[in-house]
Amino acid sequence: MKNADMKKQTALKKVKVIGAGLAGCEAAVFLANKGIKVELYEMRPIVKTPAHKTENFAELVCSNSLKSNSLENASGLLKEELRRLGSFLLKVSKNCSLPGGKALVVDRNAFCKFATESVLKNPNISVKKEEVRCIEDNNPVIVATGPLTSDAMMNEIKRMVGEEFLFFFDAIAPIVDGETINMKKVFFADRYGRGEGDYLNCPMNREEFDIFYDELMRADTVNEREFEKISFFEGCLPIEEIARRGKDALRFGPMRPVGIFSPSDEKYYAVVQLRRENMKCESFNIVGFQTRLKHKAQEKIISLIPGLENAKILRYGAMHKNCYINSPALLDKYLRLKKNPNIFFAGQITGSEGYVEAMATGLYAAMNCHRQLLGKEMVEFSTATAIGALIDYITNPKNSDSFQPMNINFGLIEMPEIRYHKRRRRNEVAKKSLAEIDEKMKLLD
């Protein structure tokens, strides 16, 4: 089909995208740039969530880090694949990045503002600020309502799929005012010096750590009826839950001191790291300190961290319920509902955990929605790629009995049979993966 004929054909097509989070925005912009008319629905601010703070699209609710950029890290490999596939939001992140060592860290406010403005300016996207309560499938639909799906939409999806929702509880970390940090007690440095001093470090000696730990174990947590049967996501445990596993769980986890040295090369018993929220260092996120402690308890615990004795908390840590469907039982390998291939799912509601993973599923669903509209062969990536391995994990029927949300990791990606050193094996995986992505892009163009 010639380009002119294809543009004429796609101009007659329409897709509804429900949810303007990371997956929804990624999907909407991809389709719009292909000439598809998109109706993008977002319930906020009419219907609010327990975690969102703004009315902007693609809001980063938890951390402002999109994790590693290194190809020796599965998240870094996934990001590079998405860049080559034309990810809209990774282009946005480039304009809003902050120093973060090997990690891709962004100014969260600038990120969601830039993403929102770009979506609103796109002539092929019509934004509808309303809650969708009923899914109509006369045109293709991409459901990207996220882990904080409204009760009405949850009930609609339950009705449609005939399956009960699974769920887990997620927690977010506190943010403190940069001007209230005692800079005489802290210092900028990266672990093993791999960076330009992008993290602010609060060092502890053994006595300070023991006092902190004892108070943390006694601190009051939020007790709500819905928390009675808590199912935490292992990759985002509240700090108090980690502490219950023992002191070393903290010292080998979010407070590990290994590789962090002061300008005088002093070694520490434990270290709390802070990650800047914006370039001006006006606010900092306490890395790994997601929590469900009561506000007064958070104030007391944070004041025990050297340098944060008088720190003002700009955003308290909190807990919220994240919902997802049993995707391996419900979705095909193109992220379509098996019962109705006109309905696609994308984002964290599929059980893909993490920002970049949400972008990946949004882009993948949109690519296949576009191919389906044109009557072309659907897109598929092998498990030798990060995106292919992620999609396989959330759609492979063999995972349906014990399905849990998961970030992309090398355990999911097909590895070479030759026993290389870990770094060499991962480099080989990246080389093979990106070669497949590049070859696929030629076929799709």
Side-chain angles (χ1 to χ4, degrees), residues 15-25 27-28 31 38-44 57 126 128 130-137 139-147 149-150 152-154 156-157 160 342-349 362:
V15 174
K16 179 184 289 187
V17 177
I18 307 175
L22 296 168
C25 286
L31 290 167
V38 177
E39 289 184 348
L40 178 61
Y41 288 80
E42 173 54 51
M43 68 180 186
R44 295 179 294 117
F57 303 156
S126 174
K128 311 286 186 181
E130 60 184 83
E131 180 187 18
V132 177
R133 292 170 170 264
C134 179
I135 298 175
E136 300 175 356
D137 60 356
N139 286 305
V141 179
I142 297 178
V143 180
T145 49
T149 298
S150 70
M153 177 54 71
M154 282 173 61
E156 170 66 358
I157 296 174
M160 186 172 56
N342 222 26
I343 299 175
F344 294 77
F345 278 79
Q348 285 186 261
I349 196 169

Side-chain angles (χ1 to χ4, degrees), residues 131-133 145-161 163 165-167 321-325 349:
E131 180 187 18
V132 177
R133 292 170 170 264
T145 49
L148 300 173
T149 298
S150 70
D151 291 342
M153 177 54 71
M154 282 173 61
N155 290 332
E156 170 66 358
I157 296 174
K158 285 180 183 179
R159 178 198 66 76
M160 186 172 56
V161 304
E163 291 277 342
F165 263 70
L166 306 176
F167 67 90
K321 183 178 179 180
N322 279 7
C323 301
Y324 61 99
I325 61 174
I349 196 169

Side-chain angles (χ1 to χ4, degrees), residues 203-234:
M204 287 185 176
N205 58 36
R206 183 163 190 164
E207 182 182 0
E208 290 168 331
F209 175 81
D210 286 343
I211 293 172
F212 172 88
Y213 179 82
D214 291 341
E215 288 297 331
L216 180 59
M217 293 297 291
R218 289 194 290 264
D220 290 333
T221 59
V222 175
N223 293 311
E224 296 187 25
R225 186 176 302 171
E226 66 176 7
F227 295 165
E228 289 175 0
K229 295 182 179 179
I230 296 175
S231 178
F232 292 116
F233 171 51
E234 191 68 22

Side-chain angles (χ1 to χ4, degrees), residues 20-22 25 44 56-61 89 108 111-112 115-116:
L22 296 168
C25 286
R44 295 179 294 117
N56 287 324
F57 303 156
E59 182 176 338
L60 303 180
V61 171
L89 288 174
R108 75 173 75 223
F111 178 85
C112 64
T116 302

Side-chain angles (χ1 to χ4, degrees), residues 57 62 119 128 158 181 281 336 354 356 377 400 422 440:
F57 303 156
C62 298
V119 169
K128 311 286 186 181
K158 285 180 183 179
I181 297 173
C281 296
R336 300 179 302 185
V356 181
E377 183 180 355
S400 60
K422 182 173 72 173
K440 191 76 70 172

